[in-house]
Amino acid sequence: MSALILALIAGAVVGLALGALGGGGSVLAVPALIYLLGFDPAEATTASLVIVTVTSLTALYAHARAGNVRWKAGAAFAAAGILPAALAGAAAARLPQTVLTLAFSAVAAFAAFKMLRPSSPAGDGAVRPARAAGTGAGLGALTGLLGVGGGFLAVPALVTVLAFEMQAAVGTSLLVITVNSLASLATRSGAAVSLDWAVIGPFIATAVLGARDGKRLASKVSGPRLQRVFAVVLLAVAAFMLVDVVT
């Protein structure tokens, strides 16, 4: 199968995840870029940030029109991650590719278990500023280091820390993803990483279209069911990457 067709298929799946779940697209984008399209981990994490930034902006617009974005709280949450994302993005270029791959597989497995055991919303509806800032900073660092937007962790964090309902958490997470990804990309702009735009361009195009379909899917299928399906996929990806590294 040609690289173009693989890029189109992978982009559609990534967009579907972002549109439906408000995250998780980059957790699929990075292994797809590495194992299907032949990118090395450094190239894949940078390309993933580009793909996820564009796709998240598109999905954010759709969710904003539907009233699912809490701009003030989301901006504060995202702001806490800007500096960590920039610092981690600069550090990622100096780490061995094996370390990045191992870290990525561990994060994917952790996210899968979190989705299989979703937390309940905070009962009192109280916002915990210190905890929210710490969570935002952690997501920013994750974005910069591994090239993931952090939405797969931002959604449960927004539900539990800021007591958002699911639809608002999905929409607002896209704002967090966009800000963190842009901050990380800013630090990588001078890195010696070449990107194959002939592959990335079609990947982005179908990801944007997939995000629109994902939003429609989310309105028809229950959130918990979508999360369980996605969690199983994540576990399979994490296991495959781990086996590939150790062997």
Side-chain angles (χ1 to χ4, degrees), residues 81-110:
I82 292 176
L83 181 59
L87 294 175
R94 300 177 175 85
L95 291 176
Q97 294 183 6
T98 301
V99 172
L100 290 175
T101 304
L102 284 172
F104 189 94
S105 63
V107 168
F110 174 76

Side-chain angles (χ1 to χ4, degrees), residues 21-22 68 154-156 158-159 164-174:
L21 299 173
N68 294 334
V155 170
L158 289 168
V159 170
F164 283 15
E165 64 274 14
M166 188 63 186
Q167 285 293 331
V170 169
T172 306
S173 75
L174 292 165

Side-chain angles (χ1 to χ4, degrees), residues 20 41 47 52 62 64 72 110 128 141 151 160 170 180 187 193 196 221 224 233 246-247:
V52 170
K72 186 176 180 180
F110 174 76
R128 299 162 177 80
T160 57
V170 169
N180 285 344
T187 65
V193 176
D196 187 351
V221 182
V233 175
V246 299
T247 57

